[in-house]
Amino acid sequence: MKKRDWIAPKSPGGLLQEKYLPDEWKVLVCCILLNRTKRAQVEPIIDQLFAKYPNAIAMVAADLVNLATLLRPLGFQNRRARSLVKFSTDFSQKSWTDPRELHAVGEYAARGWEMLCAGIVGDEPPPDHALLYYYEHLKSIGY
């Protein structure tokens, strides 16, 4: 599914996820946190989150109370903490080819991964405004 040697072009607007390329786990975590949350809420905590949990293995071992405390500004912190741990477990332990196979990965995160990590632009524009902007940027430069 993934294009070999894909390097996602930077967009003029700069998606939050672009900052963490080529780390697929971090891109998907950003997408999961951005689902039903505004960038303005996620951006202040994301670097702290990745400093404390730099990869899926570290997130799997996370203390749920500490993780939930860090996620409190986003709301639904207990649910988000459990979801990130389960997602990270799947990410690091499952043999997956499509991120939709992983816990907590919905259409927004899957489409983000496809465009940013896999080089799959597709013919259908994504429904999310930020991903749509990136999609249109890719189309405008020939992808």
Side-chain angles (χ1 to χ4, degrees):
M1 180 177 202
K2 190 173 178 180
K3 285 187 182 177
R4 196 177 201 129
D5 301 323
W6 169 255
I7 298 172
K10 295 287 185 192
S11 68
L15 292 174
L16 180 62
Q17 298 92 314
E18 290 180 79
K19 180 178 177 182
Y20 301 101
L21 287 170
D23 190 323
E24 296 176 71
W25 176 77
K26 287 181 179 176
V27 168
L28 284 166
V29 168
C30 285
C31 289
I32 290 168
L33 293 179
L34 287 165
N35 192 29
R36 299 183 184 198
T37 308
K38 294 180 187 220
R39 179 179 177 155
Q41 292 172 276
V42 174
E43 204 160 18
I45 65 121
I46 196 73
D47 285 334
Q48 186 180 356
L49 179 75
F50 289 149
K52 194 165 186 166
Y53 309 102
N55 55 47
I57 301 302
M59 183 67 77
V60 168
D63 175 86
L64 287 175
V65 173
N66 290 336
L67 179 55
T69 300
L70 182 60
L71 297 172
R72 180 175 300 262
L74 308 182
F76 303 106
Q77 61 271 11
N78 295 322
R79 183 186 323 168
R80 287 179 190 273
R82 287 189 305 272
S83 287
L84 286 177
V85 169
K86 176 70 172 124
F87 158 75
S88 297
T89 301
D90 284 357
F91 184 93
S92 61
Q93 295 177 8
K94 272 188 174 181
S95 177
W96 60 276
T97 56
D98 185 323
R100 291 169 185 86
E101 300 168 36
L102 307 173
H103 181 79
V105 175
E107 193 57 25
Y108 170 77
R111 287 298 304 273
W113 178 87
E114 286 171 351
M115 289 189 291
L116 290 161
C117 300
I120 301 166
V121 179
D123 295 324
E124 281 292 314
D128 175 78
H129 71 282
L131 288 182
L132 177 59
Y133 181 76
Y134 190 73
Y135 172 88
E136 289 171 347
H137 170 67
L138 291 177
K139 290 294 191 179
S140 76
I141 59 174
Y143 290 99

